[in-house]
Amino acid sequence: MLSFILRRLGTMALTMLCLTLVVFFLINLNPNLKKLAISQTEMHTSAEQLEDWLVNHGYRQNFFVRYGQWLGLLPKQPATDPATGKPAQRFSFCNDPVEPKFSGVLQGDFGCSTKFKTTVAAKLFPALGATGLLMFWVLAVMVPISLLIGILAGMREGSRTDRTLSVASIASTATPEYVSGVIFTVIFASWLGWLNGSAASASQGLTFYNFTLPVMTLAIYGTGYIARMTRASMVEVMTQQYIRTARLKGLSFSSVVVKHALRNALIAPFTVIMLQFPWLLTGVVIVEVMFRYQGFGYTLVEAAGNNDIDLLLGCSLVSVFIVLITQLISDVGYAFLNPRIRVQ
């Protein structure tokens, strides 16, 4: 298992290197750099002045040199003061050094956010914390409910309970977040007035009033998908020979389900649950913007809309890392749940 984890970590590092290289290239295309220069100067600045700004701030250096500087493998160069021609800070609000220095991702420096006028770390990590809190409550609601629905439906295949729960699961899965979010807002915020249609105040303090709608919107979509996978796995397990043998030995139906069927039935849903983490990162983009919850998704949209290059790179790095680490945890957890995988 240890050698497997080490090999996967090496593969993850190589994958992150390749993906960040592609993202770095796309974000630093010339149109994006020109938009950044316009946003940091004046709207009526001439093309020559925009080009001078990009040159003075290091955006016209060799592509691989800039990528190495962002990683921290090469020393980051200071900007050039156009008035004096001397080295100067690239962005004063980040306290950039005025001399060449190794300062990149490997050193914990993710760059400067030109939109929020602060370091990327100062904006990105609090946003991740806010989204992590949202994801925790979504999973706390979604996982138990979906597993319960799937187990109840799969225990008695073809029954009225199975059909009812299956229809409800399919309906929830077929409803995207931007539809269920609008429906919930209209019903619970506009008509009934029970909940707040904006979660902006949740950053100062979570309450049932301001945090329920985004949690409901995200949980309702994932619940149906996990429930369907749990039901299919439960149906397959309940037809196995060892389940029939346990029933013939006189064990009660509940004992058979809890002691023999449940663990094997949870193998497939466990993988699906771990894959919900990357989905939640994409799902929160819609939900956080809809409810004005200032988390990772809201920050990503703001960075993309304002050509905040360093912040976009930081968001992409975090996204890739979360996808890869959840896949690793999923594979390791699958091996512990299924002894046959561990033996092989």
Side-chain angles (χ1 to χ4, degrees):
M1 181 61 70
L2 180 60
S3 62
F4 167 76
I5 294 176
L6 292 176
R7 289 197 305 270
R8 286 297 301 270
L9 289 175
T11 304
M12 286 170 55
L14 182 60
T15 303
M16 290 186 66
L17 185 67
C18 295
L19 289 177
T20 53
L21 180 62
V22 173
V23 173
F24 191 89
F25 171 76
L26 295 176
I27 292 178
N28 284 277
L29 290 174
N30 193 53
N32 294 331
L33 295 179
K34 287 187 175 180
K35 290 178 182 178
L36 173 63
I38 292 173
S39 67
Q40 297 302 304
T41 55
E42 298 179 0
M43 293 297 296
H44 300 290
T45 305
S46 65
E48 291 78 10
Q49 291 173 319
L50 294 177
E51 186 64 24
D52 289 341
W53 187 90
L54 291 173
V55 172
N56 293 334
H57 285 77
Y59 288 101
R60 291 308 190 193
Q61 297 183 79
N62 179 271
F63 170 78
F64 291 102
V65 171
R66 288 194 56 222
Y67 181 66
Q69 292 174 347
W70 178 72
L71 288 178
L73 299 175
L74 296 175
K76 187 179 293 185
Q77 301 297 323
T80 302
D81 190 338
T84 62
K86 295 181 179 180
Q89 291 179 325
R90 293 178 67 242
F91 300 104
S92 59
F93 47 81
C94 283
N95 296 320
D96 277 345
V98 293
E99 69 280 345
K101 180 181 178 181
F102 286 90
S103 180
V105 173
L106 296 178
Q107 289 81 27
D109 180 9
F110 293 86
C112 295
S113 170
T114 54
K115 159 64 178 174
F116 297 100
K117 306 300 181 184
T118 184
T119 62
V120 170
K123 181 62 183 177
L124 180 59
F125 292 116
L128 276 174
T131 296
L133 188 61
L134 175 61
M135 292 170 65
F136 170 79
W137 285 108
V138 169
L139 291 171
V141 173
M142 179 175 65
V143 173
I145 293 176
S146 58
L147 291 179
L148 181 61
I149 292 174
I151 292 170
L152 291 176
M155 283 170 53
R156 300 188 181 278
E157 183 185 9
S159 65
R160 181 178 298 177
T161 300
D162 178 27
R163 292 195 297 270
T164 303
L165 294 177
S166 296
V167 170
S169 300
I170 294 172
S172 66
T173 306
T175 307
E177 300 95 332
Y178 55 85
V179 174
S180 59
V182 172
I183 294 174
F184 291 152
T185 302
V186 170
I187 295 175
F188 295 104
S190 299
W191 290 356
L192 300 176
W194 292 349
L195 303 173
N196 191 353
S198 172
S201 60
S203 57
Q204 283 75 42
L206 299 182
T207 64
F208 182 83
Y209 181 69
N210 65 17
F211 205 56
T212 301
L213 280 180
V215 171
M216 286 175 56
T217 302
L218 282 171
I220 197 71
Y221 181 81
T223 296
Y225 182 57
I226 299 176
R228 291 291 296 168
M229 292 296 298
T230 306
R231 177 199 174 277
S233 182
M234 194 70 181
V235 168
E236 181 181 0
V237 169
M238 292 299 291
T239 59
Q240 297 297 314
Q241 188 65 41
Y242 66 90
I243 297 294
R244 296 174 183 170
T245 303
R247 292 297 305 276
L248 291 174
K249 286 183 176 181
L251 293 178
S252 64
F253 183 76
S254 59
S255 178
V256 170
V257 171
V258 173
K259 294 183 179 180
H260 298 279
L262 198 54
R263 177 177 176 178
N264 290 326
L266 290 179
I267 294 176
F270 173 79
T271 306
V272 174
I273 291 170
M274 293 308 303
L275 294 177
Q276 297 305 301
F277 285 91
W279 165 76
L280 283 173
L281 272 183
T282 59
V284 295
V285 173
I286 299 173
V287 173
E288 288 184 357
V289 172
M290 180 182 297
F291 295 104
R292 300 194 60 79
Y293 182 72
Q294 298 185 17
F296 177 80
Y298 182 86
T299 302
L300 177 60
V301 171
E302 288 293 309
N306 293 277
N307 299 288
D308 196 336
I309 290 179
D310 286 346
L311 186 54
L312 275 172
L313 289 170
C315 290
S316 65
L317 183 65
V318 168
S319 300
V320 171
F321 175 78
I322 290 179
V323 170
L324 294 177
I325 199 68
T326 51
Q327 288 181 348
L328 175 62
I329 295 174
S330 175
D331 291 341
V332 173
Y334 195 93
F336 277 105
L337 287 172
N338 192 340
R340 291 171 295 180
I341 299 294
R342 188 160 62 247
V343 169
Q344 292 172 358

